[in-house]
Amino acid sequence: MNDIVIVETRCGMTPGELTSEGYIPGNIVCQVQFTMNNETLFLSEVEVDGEPNFYLNKKDEFDAMVKEDFDDDVYMDMMEASYIESIGNIDLIDYETMFTDIRNSSTNIAKLVQYIVAVIRMDFEETEMYIQATKGKNVLDITIPKTDIEEDIFG
């Protein structure tokens, strides 16, 4: 089995928008830098209106994702090229299918997906302490808290 070690995790939000109906908050962005097979990769999740969107890159794209510049062709090309619908037999299109797949898997890639979702869904007050506690650790050695989504799906 290939070890996955968390190198760094970053979270942020895209800019919100002020409309005539009021303020619309930005999207939550979380990126996990990890090593696997002596390669460094970046798995990112951008949660839009409560729905997951995953991206896999070979370089750090966090700042570009948080900036979210739809007028920048380089940004749009990167987002399109790095978007993934599944990883390691885990369907990433919606949370219910994703967590069902994760529940039926014991792979380290499933744990990595579970980790990033847990980070993106946890209370902001807890996030930084949890990120620091998981830094440099093998994903299989990390205790991942149950998310509100898992509670809703499985009880």
Side-chain angles (χ1 to χ4, degrees):
M1 182 179 343
N2 301 322
D3 287 340
I4 291 180
V5 175
I6 309 256
V7 176
E8 184 71 52
T9 304
R10 297 170 66 190
C11 291
M13 288 190 80
T14 62
E17 181 180 7
L18 188 58
T19 68
S20 58
E21 287 84 38
Y23 181 74
I24 299 171
N27 301 315
I28 302 170
V29 179
C30 186
Q31 176 183 271
V32 178
Q33 178 184 358
F34 65 98
T35 59
M36 181 173 73
N37 298 332
N38 296 320
E39 183 176 24
T40 298
L41 297 167
F42 298 85
L43 180 65
S44 302
E45 180 183 1
V46 179
E47 190 176 272
V48 180
D49 295 328
E51 294 298 321
N53 296 275
F54 282 86
Y55 303 87
L56 187 62
N57 291 294
K58 290 189 177 196
K59 66 180 198 169
D60 184 345
E61 298 287 359
F62 180 79
D63 291 333
M65 288 180 165
V66 169
K67 186 177 177 190
E68 194 178 59
D69 187 356
F70 294 113
D71 294 327
D72 181 347
D73 290 338
V74 173
Y75 169 77
M76 294 305 294
D77 290 346
M78 177 276 296
M79 293 297 281
E80 185 177 322
S82 64
Y83 178 77
I84 56 174
E85 293 183 351
S86 67
I87 189 169
N89 296 321
I90 306 297
D91 188 333
L92 302 173
I93 300 299
D94 67 70
Y95 282 127
E96 187 168 343
T97 304
M98 181 189 317
F99 276 107
T100 300
D101 291 348
I102 289 169
R103 191 173 230 195
N104 295 323
S105 177
S106 60
T107 65
N108 54 3
I109 207 75
K111 292 284 279 187
L112 182 66
V113 171
Q114 186 181 21
Y115 170 81
I116 196 170
V117 173
V119 171
I120 212 167
R121 300 292 298 192
M122 70 178 40
D123 292 332
F124 283 120
E125 299 81 36
E126 301 171 8
T127 305
E128 191 56 38
M129 190 168 63
Y130 183 72
I131 287 171
Q132 291 307 315
T134 58
K135 194 175 192 177
K137 298 209 171 141
N138 185 318
V139 74
L140 295 176
D141 297 333
I142 295 171
T143 301
I144 301 172
K146 205 178 233 190
T147 66
D148 57 327
I149 298 164
E150 291 171 280
E151 290 288 339
D152 290 347
I153 296 170
F154 305 118

